[in-house]
Amino acid sequence: MKAKTRRQGVIFRHWRLIGLAGFALVLVAGGWGLSRYLLNPRTLPIKAIQVKGEFRNLDRESVEQALAKAIDGGFFGLDLKHLREAVMGSPWVADARITRVWPDRLVVDVTEEQAIAHWGEQGLMNEQGKVFYPRKGLKKRLPLRFRGDDNKASLMLDFFVREQPRFRRQGLSIGAVILDKRGEWRLELADGTRIVVGKEDMDARIGRLLNAYPVLEQEPRRPQTVDLRYEQGFAVSWRSEERS
Protein backbone atom coordinates (compact mmCIF):
# COMPACT_ATOMS: atom_id res chain seq x y z
CA MET A 1 0.00 0.00 0.00
CA LYS A 2 2.83 2.35 0.90
CA ALA A 3 4.63 1.53 -2.34
CA LYS A 4 1.49 2.31 -4.36
CA THR A 5 1.11 5.64 -2.56
CA ARG A 6 4.74 6.54 -3.28
CA ARG A 7 4.27 5.73 -7.00
CA GLN A 8 1.18 7.93 -7.11
CA GLY A 9 3.13 10.77 -5.45
CA VAL A 10 5.95 10.45 -7.98
CA ILE A 11 3.49 10.45 -10.89
CA PHE A 12 1.70 13.50 -9.46
CA ARG A 13 4.96 15.45 -9.09
CA HIS A 14 5.97 14.40 -12.60
CA TRP A 15 2.76 15.73 -14.15
CA ARG A 16 2.97 18.83 -12.00
CA LEU A 17 6.43 19.61 -13.36
CA ILE A 18 5.19 19.04 -16.88
CA GLY A 19 2.29 21.41 -16.24
CA LEU A 20 4.57 24.08 -14.83
CA ALA A 21 6.95 23.72 -17.77
CA GLY A 22 4.05 24.02 -20.19
CA PHE A 23 2.75 27.09 -18.40
CA ALA A 24 6.21 28.66 -18.54
CA LEU A 25 6.41 27.99 -22.27
CA VAL A 26 3.04 29.66 -22.74
CA LEU A 27 4.26 32.70 -20.81
CA VAL A 28 7.49 32.86 -22.83
CA ALA A 29 5.63 32.52 -26.11
CA GLY A 30 3.11 35.12 -25.04
CA GLY A 31 5.85 37.50 -23.89
CA TRP A 32 7.73 37.01 -27.15
CA GLY A 33 4.61 37.71 -29.14
CA LEU A 34 3.81 40.79 -27.07
CA SER A 35 7.38 42.01 -27.43
CA ARG A 36 7.22 41.62 -31.21
CA TYR A 37 3.96 43.51 -31.27
CA LEU A 38 5.20 46.41 -29.13
CA LEU A 39 8.50 46.71 -31.02
CA ASN A 40 6.79 46.70 -34.40
CA PRO A 41 7.32 50.16 -35.97
CA ARG A 42 3.64 50.23 -36.92
CA THR A 43 2.56 49.87 -33.30
CA LEU A 44 1.90 53.27 -31.70
CA PRO A 45 3.82 55.29 -34.33
CA ILE A 46 5.22 58.70 -33.36
CA LYS A 47 2.89 61.41 -34.63
CA ALA A 48 4.32 64.57 -33.07
CA ILE A 49 7.79 65.96 -32.29
CA GLN A 50 8.18 68.94 -29.95
CA VAL A 51 11.55 70.71 -29.95
CA LYS A 52 12.20 72.93 -26.93
CA GLY A 53 15.01 75.41 -26.35
CA GLU A 54 16.12 79.00 -26.95
CA PHE A 55 17.65 79.31 -30.40
CA ARG A 56 19.49 82.17 -32.06
CA ASN A 57 21.39 80.36 -34.77
CA LEU A 58 19.94 76.85 -34.73
CA ASP A 59 17.02 76.14 -37.07
CA ARG A 60 14.24 74.41 -35.13
CA GLU A 61 12.79 72.91 -38.30
CA SER A 62 16.12 71.28 -39.22
CA VAL A 63 16.15 69.51 -35.83
CA GLU A 64 12.63 68.21 -36.42
CA GLN A 65 13.58 66.97 -39.87
CA ALA A 66 16.70 65.20 -38.58
CA LEU A 67 14.59 63.44 -35.95
CA ALA A 68 11.87 62.47 -38.41
CA LYS A 69 14.45 60.83 -40.68
CA ALA A 70 16.06 58.95 -37.78
CA ILE A 71 12.85 57.52 -36.27
CA ASP A 72 13.03 53.76 -36.80
CA GLY A 73 10.31 52.41 -34.55
CA GLY A 74 7.06 52.99 -32.73
CA PHE A 75 6.67 54.40 -29.23
CA PHE A 76 8.27 51.39 -27.47
CA GLY A 77 10.75 50.45 -30.19
CA LEU A 78 12.49 53.81 -30.51
CA ASP A 79 16.26 53.84 -30.15
CA LEU A 80 16.67 57.05 -28.14
CA LYS A 81 20.47 56.91 -28.36
CA HIS A 82 20.26 56.80 -32.15
CA LEU A 83 17.82 59.72 -32.15
CA ARG A 84 20.07 61.79 -29.90
CA GLU A 85 23.04 61.15 -32.19
CA ALA A 86 20.95 62.41 -35.11
CA VAL A 87 20.21 65.65 -33.25
CA MET A 88 23.80 66.04 -32.06
CA GLY A 89 24.90 65.85 -35.69
CA SER A 90 24.11 69.55 -36.02
CA PRO A 91 27.19 71.68 -35.22
CA TRP A 92 24.98 74.16 -33.36
CA VAL A 93 23.67 71.55 -30.89
CA ALA A 94 25.63 71.46 -27.62
CA ASP A 95 23.38 68.90 -25.90
CA ALA A 96 20.03 67.17 -26.40
CA ARG A 97 17.67 65.19 -24.17
CA ILE A 98 14.85 63.16 -25.73
CA THR A 99 11.78 61.99 -23.80
CA ARG A 100 8.83 59.79 -24.83
CA VAL A 101 5.40 61.22 -24.00
CA TRP A 102 2.52 58.73 -24.12
CA PRO A 103 1.13 57.73 -26.50
CA ASP A 104 2.70 59.14 -29.67
CA ARG A 105 4.91 62.15 -28.95
CA LEU A 106 8.59 62.98 -28.55
CA VAL A 107 9.84 65.98 -26.57
CA VAL A 108 13.38 67.11 -27.36
CA ASP A 109 15.18 69.58 -25.08
CA VAL A 110 18.01 71.12 -27.10
CA THR A 111 20.83 73.32 -25.80
CA GLU A 112 22.37 75.52 -28.46
CA GLU A 113 26.10 76.13 -28.69
CA GLN A 114 27.14 79.57 -27.47
CA ALA A 115 29.95 80.95 -29.61
CA ILE A 116 32.35 83.36 -27.91
CA ALA A 117 34.90 83.73 -30.69
CA HIS A 118 35.65 83.06 -34.33
CA TRP A 119 38.07 80.22 -35.04
CA GLY A 120 40.17 80.45 -38.18
CA GLU A 121 38.26 81.27 -41.34
CA GLN A 122 35.10 79.22 -40.87
CA GLY A 123 34.96 77.86 -37.32
CA LEU A 124 33.67 79.06 -33.98
CA MET A 125 34.70 78.45 -30.38
CA ASN A 126 32.47 78.02 -27.33
CA GLU A 127 33.25 78.97 -23.74
CA GLN A 128 34.68 75.51 -22.99
CA GLY A 129 37.26 75.88 -25.75
CA LYS A 130 35.47 73.51 -28.12
CA VAL A 131 35.75 74.31 -31.82
CA PHE A 132 32.80 73.66 -34.13
CA TYR A 133 32.11 74.37 -37.77
CA PRO A 134 28.52 75.44 -38.55
CA ARG A 135 27.23 75.05 -42.09
CA LYS A 136 26.00 78.63 -42.03
CA GLY A 137 28.02 81.53 -40.73
CA LEU A 138 27.28 83.38 -37.54
CA LYS A 139 24.58 86.03 -37.84
CA LYS A 140 26.74 88.61 -36.05
CA ARG A 141 30.47 89.27 -35.87
CA LEU A 142 32.27 88.56 -32.62
CA PRO A 143 35.03 90.82 -31.28
CA LEU A 144 37.39 87.93 -30.54
CA ARG A 145 39.05 85.42 -32.86
CA PHE A 146 41.57 82.61 -32.60
CA ARG A 147 43.78 80.90 -35.13
CA GLY A 148 45.68 77.66 -34.57
CA ASP A 149 45.37 73.88 -34.53
CA ASP A 150 41.98 72.61 -33.34
CA ASN A 151 43.58 70.44 -30.65
CA LYS A 152 45.19 73.54 -29.08
CA ALA A 153 41.92 75.46 -28.76
CA SER A 154 41.42 74.98 -25.01
CA LEU A 155 45.08 75.90 -24.35
CA MET A 156 44.65 79.10 -26.35
CA LEU A 157 41.45 79.99 -24.54
CA ASP A 158 43.19 79.51 -21.18
CA PHE A 159 45.96 81.83 -22.37
CA PHE A 160 43.44 84.49 -23.36
CA VAL A 161 41.52 84.22 -20.07
CA ARG A 162 44.77 84.62 -18.15
CA GLU A 163 46.14 87.58 -20.11
CA GLN A 164 43.06 89.62 -21.02
CA PRO A 165 42.55 91.10 -17.50
CA ARG A 166 46.16 92.36 -17.52
CA PHE A 167 45.55 94.22 -20.79
CA ARG A 168 42.22 95.52 -19.53
CA ARG A 169 43.94 97.21 -16.59
CA GLN A 170 45.89 99.24 -19.14
CA GLY A 171 42.77 100.15 -21.08
CA LEU A 172 43.63 97.65 -23.84
CA SER A 173 41.83 94.60 -25.17
CA ILE A 174 42.98 91.46 -26.98
CA GLY A 175 41.15 91.02 -30.27
CA ALA A 176 42.94 87.93 -31.60
CA VAL A 177 45.10 85.07 -30.33
CA ILE A 178 47.31 83.20 -32.79
CA LEU A 179 49.44 80.10 -32.18
CA ASP A 180 51.36 78.99 -35.26
CA LYS A 181 52.70 75.54 -36.08
CA ARG A 182 56.12 76.45 -34.66
CA GLY A 183 54.53 77.10 -31.27
CA GLU A 184 54.95 80.87 -31.45
CA TRP A 185 52.29 83.04 -29.85
CA ARG A 186 50.99 86.28 -31.37
CA LEU A 187 48.34 88.72 -30.23
CA GLU A 188 46.37 91.41 -31.99
CA LEU A 189 44.84 94.16 -29.91
CA ALA A 190 41.45 95.69 -30.62
CA ASP A 191 43.18 98.88 -31.84
CA GLY A 192 45.12 96.90 -34.47
CA THR A 193 48.46 96.63 -32.68
CA ARG A 194 50.22 93.31 -33.36
CA ILE A 195 52.30 91.73 -30.60
CA VAL A 196 54.81 88.95 -31.25
CA VAL A 197 55.10 87.13 -27.92
CA GLY A 198 57.23 84.14 -28.96
CA LYS A 199 57.51 80.65 -27.49
CA GLU A 200 58.94 81.18 -24.00
CA ASP A 201 58.25 83.24 -20.85
CA MET A 202 55.03 84.59 -22.31
CA ASP A 203 53.65 85.94 -19.03
CA ALA A 204 56.91 87.72 -18.13
CA ARG A 205 57.31 89.21 -21.61
CA ILE A 206 53.74 90.51 -21.64
CA GLY A 207 54.21 91.93 -18.14
CA ARG A 208 57.31 93.81 -19.31
CA LEU A 209 55.37 95.30 -22.22
CA LEU A 210 52.40 96.37 -20.08
CA ASN A 211 54.65 98.02 -17.51
CA ALA A 212 56.14 100.15 -20.29
CA TYR A 213 52.91 100.81 -22.16
CA PRO A 214 52.18 104.20 -20.54
CA VAL A 215 55.47 105.40 -22.06
CA LEU A 216 54.50 104.09 -25.51
CA GLU A 217 51.19 105.94 -25.31
CA GLN A 218 53.03 109.23 -24.96
CA GLU A 219 54.47 108.86 -28.46
CA PRO A 220 52.72 110.82 -31.25
CA ARG A 221 52.40 107.62 -33.31
CA ARG A 222 50.73 104.35 -32.39
CA PRO A 223 52.62 101.06 -32.33
CA GLN A 224 52.07 98.85 -35.34
CA THR A 225 54.07 95.81 -34.21
CA VAL A 226 55.71 95.05 -30.88
CA ASP A 227 58.25 92.20 -30.81
CA LEU A 228 58.78 90.80 -27.30
CA ARG A 229 61.38 88.18 -28.25
CA TYR A 230 64.25 89.96 -26.49
CA GLU A 231 65.82 89.17 -23.15
CA GLN A 232 65.80 92.67 -21.70
CA GLY A 233 63.25 94.61 -23.74
CA PHE A 234 61.25 94.70 -26.95
CA ALA A 235 61.27 96.26 -30.41
CA VAL A 236 58.55 98.57 -31.72
CA SER A 237 57.63 99.52 -35.27
CA TRP A 238 55.37 102.53 -35.57
CA ARG A 239 52.46 103.37 -37.79
CA SER A 240 53.12 106.00 -40.37
CA GLU A 241 50.03 108.05 -39.54
CA GLU A 242 49.91 110.28 -36.48
CA ARG A 243 47.33 109.96 -33.76
CA SER A 244 43.99 111.53 -34.57
Side-chain angles (χ1 to χ4, degrees):
M1 185 68 180
K2 291 182 179 180
K4 182 178 179 181
T5 302
R6 283 197 298 270
R7 283 197 304 271
Q8 290 176 342
V10 171
I11 292 171
F12 174 77
R13 286 194 297 272
H14 177 72
W15 283 106
R16 183 182 179 187
L17 290 174
I18 292 175
L20 289 174
F23 181 68
L25 287 174
V26 170
L27 288 178
V28 171
W32 179 75
L34 179 61
S35 176
R36 286 194 62 186
Y37 172 76
L38 293 177
L39 296 179
N40 190 320
R42 298 174 182 173
T43 302
L44 295 174
I46 297 299
K47 297 180 180 179
I49 299 173
Q50 180 184 2
V51 178
K52 299 168 61 178
E54 296 182 6
F55 306 140
R56 295 183 178 180
N57 299 282
L58 183 63
D59 182 9
R60 189 184 304 269
E61 185 176 345
S62 67
V63 175
E64 294 173 351
Q65 291 174 352
L67 273 170
K69 291 179 181 179
I71 290 175
D72 55 359
F75 186 85
F76 291 103
L78 285 171
D79 185 344
L80 296 185
K81 181 180 179 181
H82 174 64
L83 294 180
R84 182 177 183 275
E85 289 173 352
V87 177
M88 295 295 294
S90 170
W92 275 112
V93 175
D95 194 14
R97 185 169 58 89
I98 303 176
T99 307
R100 297 182 181 94
V101 178
W102 177 264
D104 56 8
R105 187 159 59 99
L106 287 179
V107 175
V108 188
D109 287 292
V110 177
T111 302
E112 184 181 86
E113 286 282 12
Q114 300 297 316
I116 64 167
H118 295 280
W119 178 266
E121 298 298 326
Q122 298 179 328
L124 296 169
M125 176 194 282
N126 68 13
E127 59 186 5
Q128 287 79 40
K130 173 190 171 184
V131 175
F132 60 102
Y133 294 89
R135 298 181 182 90
K136 296 182 180 180
L138 195 65
K139 294 179 180 178
K140 65 175 183 179
R141 298 295 298 175
L142 298 171
L144 179 62
R145 58 189 175 89
F146 291 81
R147 187 163 71 245
D149 291 335
D150 287 9
N151 59 0
K152 297 293 181 64
S154 60
L155 174 67
M156 296 175 67
L157 181 60
D158 289 343
F159 180 79
F160 168 79
V161 170
R162 185 173 70 247
E163 301 298 342
Q164 176 76 319
R166 303 173 71 188
F167 281 88
R168 289 285 193 189
R169 286 193 287 271
Q170 294 291 342
L172 305 169
S173 179
I174 299 174
V177 180
I178 302 161
L179 179 59
D180 64 25
K181 294 183 178 180
R182 297 174 299 174
E184 192 163 85
W185 292 84
R186 297 174 184 268
L187 300 174
E188 292 182 10
L189 302 185
D191 66 2
T193 302
R194 296 190 293 269
I195 301 173
V196 183
V197 182
K199 300 180 182 180
E200 302 173 348
D201 302 324
M202 285 84 72
D203 292 346
R205 290 176 176 180
I206 290 173
R208 188 161 60 234
L209 168 64
L210 293 177
N211 287 337
Y213 219 86
V215 177
L216 296 181
E217 290 186 318
Q218 295 176 10
E219 295 289 329
R221 295 173 295 174
R222 293 182 296 171
Q224 180 174 12
T225 303
V226 182
D227 191 341
L228 305 182
R229 295 172 297 180
Y230 294 86
E231 291 186 4
Q232 301 299 326
F234 50 84
V236 181
S237 64
W238 303 92
R239 306 183 198 196
S240 58
E241 79 278 5
E242 295 184 353
R243 291 180 183 268
S244 58

